[in-house]
Amino acid sequence: MTMDRKNYMRVVFPAKSENESLARILASSMAAQLDPTLEEISDLRTAVSEAVTNCIIHGYKEDSSKEIEMICELYDNYIVVTVADQGCGIADVQLARKPLYTTDPENERSGMGFTIMESFSDELDVESAVNKGTKVRIKKIFHSLGKG
Amino acid sequence: MTMDRKNYMRVVFPAKSENESLARILASSMAAQLDPTLEEISDLRTAVSEAVTNCIIHGYKEDSSKEIEMICELYDNYIVVTVADQGCGIADVQLARKPLYTTDPENERSGMGFTIMESFSDELDVESAVNKGTKVRIKKIFHSLGKG
Amino acid sequence: MELEMKRKGNLLILKVTGELDHHCADELRRRIDREILRTLVKDVVFDFTELTFMDSAGIGVLMGRYRTVSHLGGTTWFLTEGKTSYFKHVMKILEMAGVFNYIHKCKSLKECGV
Amino acid sequence: MELEMKRKGNLLILKVTGELDHHCADELRRRIDREILRTLVKDVVFDFTELTFMDSAGIGVLMGRYRTVSHLGGTTWFLTEGKTSYFKHVMKILEMAGVFNYIHKCKSLKECGV
Ligand SMILES: Nc1ncnc2c1ncn2[C@@H]1O[C@H](COP(=O)(O)OP(=O)(O)O)[C@@H](O)[C@H]1O
Ligand SMILES: Nc1ncnc2c1ncn2[C@@H]1O[C@H](COP(=O)(O)OP(=O)(O)O)[C@@H](O)[C@H]1O
């Protein structure tokens, strides 16, 4: 069954760490139009925060002249948030998604970003190409709404 | 004196009235990065709300398949919010900006939109072309920050 | 936006809380007009003291109801004793629009003659 | 993010409130490490009970301090008796990351031996 997209938003902002919280506000404000639970909103905020942080730290190595694109798409009972950079890309996505795997332990990265995105969402797709960029697609179903 | 742009955000969303509140949240979240007063944030939220509502009601006559673009640009002590549609445009901008002038009294429009945008901002530019669209540029200085 | 309607004799008390913008203005006016016609009250008083947002859509809602109520021979009142910092902003918008040339300010419900 | 640091004997109490993300993690660790080295306390306890947001940056902050403190022969504690609904979310993230294989849970400051 296909569902109609009820609302959406395409946002572009520079890869500055201030915008991690902005990205969370954007995604959760759009999700709030469906009236999900606070817990579901928390899950989404965390997943989006991980994705945006990864673009800033890993994709662009903190070069804030670069841009991140975020798309939020709202359906009957779920949201899809896509976060994309045009940064360094990931050579081995399967390896990168493993718990505790990180290329940046000096900055106290835990390697848990993808694991958290996965466990706080219902579907996680990662598309990446070296020197082209990375696109992460987070689908969060609001089971509390009991539809579909 | 020119000032460096500290942050910005380009957003595109459909012309749905639900997105009036979303637009306010976007603009005020970006402005909040400067830590202005609540009153200054209220002024900005109101001005942005008027501009977005006008795109929906007048520019697109409530056709929610059309898109609105909003750009927020943050400087040292002010924000510039640009709201643009590609709708019907305004034939006589000077007349449209007059207090109480409205083409839509049946929908209880008061004709005070532009007047409110003007008095709650520090600069208001309106560019419009019939059948091309309308672009409103709102500059709000946060005088409380006492810079510049 | 939430609307609470209470009747007190000939007066309909209309308390609107939350955010009043174009998005909810249509629902607001439909619900209020239905109640005015159903209860056949004479006067109405608006309580906007707990709004957290309002733009020019609020002017339209007030002036539209003013027209209906005047037509039926009644008076429209507006409570001015809000305590929130946002309420000052609401008053600024309404003063600017000249709404109080038509709608009567009141400090409390007592002044509306109930 | 706000950081409140209090010393109680050999224990440094670190209360972090607000939002803990990558944006503020760097400042947080610099301020905490400076205080640990300045006061030469032995043990630290983290109070995350009033966070309103945390992502994996919180894991990094905890594990990084755990390493510093262990190196100096001390123990790292974590207060588990949060009352907010968001605190459950914080615990879920930390449990998932296996943080409590290293950092000791405690129900109150008394358990940290002060
Ligand atoms: N947007 C991205 N661009 C480039 N590399 C990335 C990106 N996101 C993740 N990675 C790579 O995947 C690894 C694992 O990511 P993650 O699970 O989020 O952990 P962490 O961010 O703590 O390192 C990162 O260390 C990095 O090498
Ligand atoms: N984005 C727009 N596109 C087309 N026409 C517009 C737009 N914005 C404003 N107008 C025109 O200018 C008039 C005055 O606008 P405004 O002062 O906001 O009052 P109101 O929205 O209450 O009509 C509108 O009635 C409309 O004719």
Side-chain angles (χ1 to χ4, degrees):
Chain A
M1 189 184 128
T2 60
M3 286 221 195
D4 281 346
R5 191 167 68 164
K6 295 176 67 160
N7 203 356
Y8 62 92
M9 174 169 65
R10 260 194 332 275
V11 198
V12 174
F13 51 83
K16 285 169 166 279
S17 63
E18 291 94 302
N19 293 336
E20 291 157 12
S21 67
L22 204 68
R24 297 195 291 270
I25 293 171
L26 299 182
S28 59
S29 302
M30 171 124 306
Q33 296 188 348
L34 295 181
D35 207 18
T37 64
L38 268 181
E39 203 187 325
E40 288 167 332
I41 292 268
S42 297
D43 291 354
L44 179 69
R45 286 168 74 212
T46 306
V48 167
S49 197
E50 298 293 348
V52 172
T53 301
N54 277 354
C55 300
I56 296 172
I57 305 183
H58 304 302
Y60 292 134
K61 317 267 182 265
E62 318 239 1
D63 174 356
S64 64
S65 69
K66 297 299 201 303
E67 291 185 333
I68 297 171
E69 184 186 53
M70 182 164 104
I71 300 175
C72 301
E73 299 172 286
L74 204 63
Y75 295 82
D76 243 29
N77 66 334
Y78 64 92
I79 190 169
V80 175
V81 181
T82 309
V83 176
D85 66 55
Q86 298 180 291
C88 68
I90 304 174
D92 184 340
V93 170
Q94 225 191 324
L95 177 65
R97 290 179 70 153
K98 285 207 158 62
L100 305 175
Y101 176 84
T102 181
T103 51
D104 196 13
E106 318 84 70
N107 276 313
E108 301 192 345
R109 297 302 296 168
S110 61
M112 290 299 290
F114 279 130
T115 309
I116 288 177
M117 284 183 246
E118 236 163 66
S119 67
F120 286 160
S121 67
D122 291 84
E123 258 179 62
L124 182 76
D125 295 325
V126 184
E127 268 174 56
S128 191
V130 173
N131 294 327
K132 290 254 171 64
T134 302
K135 188 197 267 190
V136 170
R137 187 180 162 281
I138 298 162
K139 174 174 174 178
K140 176 74 185 167
I141 303 178
F142 302 120
H143 295 281
S144 69
L145 302 176
K147 294 184 204 159
Chain B
M1 189 186 129
T2 60
M3 286 220 194
D4 281 346
R5 193 169 65 166
K6 294 177 68 162
N7 204 355
Y8 63 92
M9 174 168 68
R10 261 195 329 276
V11 197
V12 174
F13 51 83
K16 283 168 167 279
S17 63
E18 292 94 301
N19 293 336
E20 291 158 9
S21 68
L22 204 69
R24 297 195 290 269
I25 294 172
L26 299 181
S28 60
S29 303
M30 171 123 309
Q33 295 187 349
L34 294 182
D35 208 17
T37 64
L38 268 180
E39 202 186 325
E40 288 167 333
I41 292 268
S42 296
D43 292 354
L44 179 69
R45 286 167 74 212
T46 305
V48 167
S49 197
E50 297 294 349
V52 172
T53 300
N54 277 354
C55 300
I56 296 173
I57 304 183
H58 304 302
Y60 292 134
K61 317 270 183 263
E62 317 240 1
D63 174 356
S64 65
S65 71
K66 297 299 200 303
E67 290 184 334
I68 297 170
E69 183 184 53
M70 180 165 107
I71 300 174
C72 301
E73 299 173 285
L74 204 64
Y75 296 82
D76 245 29
N77 66 335
Y78 64 92
I79 190 168
V80 175
V81 180
T82 310
V83 176
D85 65 54
Q86 299 181 292
C88 66
I90 305 175
D92 184 342
V93 171
Q94 225 190 323
L95 177 64
R97 289 178 71 152
K98 286 210 159 63
L100 305 176
Y101 176 84
T102 181
T103 52
D104 197 14
E106 319 83 71
N107 277 312
E108 300 191 347
R109 298 301 297 169
S110 61
M112 291 299 291
F114 278 130
T115 310
I116 288 177
M117 284 183 247
E118 236 165 65
S119 66
F120 286 160
S121 68
D122 292 84
E123 257 178 65
L124 182 75
D125 295 327
V126 184
E127 267 175 56
S128 191
V130 174
N131 293 328
K132 290 252 170 63
T134 303
K135 189 196 266 188
V136 170
R137 187 180 162 280
I138 298 162
K139 175 174 174 177
K140 176 74 187 166
I141 304 179
F142 301 120
H143 296 281
S144 69
L145 301 175
K147 294 182 201 159
Chain C
M1 182 275 297
E2 303 285 332
L3 168 65
E4 201 185 292
M5 298 190 277
K6 257 195 295 204
R7 198 182 158 167
K8 217 172 170 185
N10 253 333
L11 182 73
L12 183 62
I13 305 162
L14 301 162
K15 178 165 185 145
V16 187
T17 55
E19 310 209 324
L20 199 182
D21 61 7
H22 156 252
H23 175 61
C24 64
D26 211 45
E27 182 197 331
L28 195 56
R29 71 185 160 213
R30 274 188 288 108
R31 285 175 61 191
I32 294 175
D33 285 351
R34 209 187 306 129
E35 193 70 5
I36 292 176
L37 295 176
R38 194 181 70 77
T39 56
L40 289 171
V41 287
K42 208 166 142 286
D43 307 326
V44 305
V45 56
F46 281 94
D47 181 348
F48 278 11
T49 56
E50 284 171 36
L51 280 182
T52 54
F53 179 79
M54 191 194 83
D55 60 15
S56 73
I59 303 170
V61 167
L62 287 181
M63 291 307 296
R65 303 303 71 61
Y66 162 77
R67 274 181 219 110
T68 313
V69 169
S70 314
H71 193 77
L72 301 171
T75 304
T76 305
W77 296 91
F78 185 87
L79 270 174
T80 56
E81 298 301 279
K83 287 190 194 75
T84 70
S85 74
Y86 189 76
F87 187 68
K88 269 186 258 157
H89 193 78
V90 169
M91 288 301 288
K92 206 159 78 178
I93 294 173
L94 297 177
E95 298 276 9
M96 196 183 302
V99 159
F100 300 121
N101 295 327
Y102 308 92
I103 293 174
H104 293 61
K105 291 182 182 179
C106 63
K107 292 210 164 92
S108 68
L109 293 180
K110 254 186 282 167
E111 285 186 43
C112 313
V114 291
Chain D
M1 182 273 298
E2 303 286 331
L3 168 65
E4 197 184 296
M5 298 191 277
K6 258 194 293 199
R7 198 181 158 169
K8 217 171 171 185
N10 253 332
L11 182 73
L12 183 62
I13 306 163
L14 302 162
K15 177 162 185 147
V16 188
T17 53
E19 308 212 325
L20 198 181
D21 61 8
H22 156 252
H23 175 62
C24 64
D26 212 46
E27 181 197 331
L28 195 57
R29 71 186 163 214
R30 275 187 288 107
R31 287 175 60 191
I32 295 175
D33 285 352
R34 210 189 304 130
E35 193 70 6
I36 292 176
L37 296 175
R38 192 182 72 79
T39 55
L40 289 170
V41 288
K42 207 166 143 282
D43 307 326
V44 305
V45 57
F46 281 94
D47 181 349
F48 278 11
T49 56
E50 284 171 34
L51 280 181
T52 54
F53 179 78
M54 191 194 83
D55 61 16
S56 72
I59 303 169
V61 168
L62 287 180
M63 291 307 296
R65 304 306 64 68
Y66 162 77
R67 274 181 217 110
T68 314
V69 170
S70 315
H71 193 77
L72 302 170
T75 305
T76 305
W77 296 91
F78 185 87
L79 270 175
T80 56
E81 298 300 280
K83 285 188 195 77
T84 70
S85 76
Y86 190 76
F87 188 68
K88 270 187 258 157
H89 193 77
V90 169
M91 288 301 289
K92 205 158 81 176
I93 293 172
L94 297 177
E95 297 276 9
M96 196 183 302
V99 160
F100 300 119
N101 296 327
Y102 307 92
I103 291 173
H104 293 61
K105 290 182 183 178
C106 63
K107 294 211 164 90
S108 69
L109 292 179
K110 255 186 280 165
E111 284 184 43
C112 314
V114 290

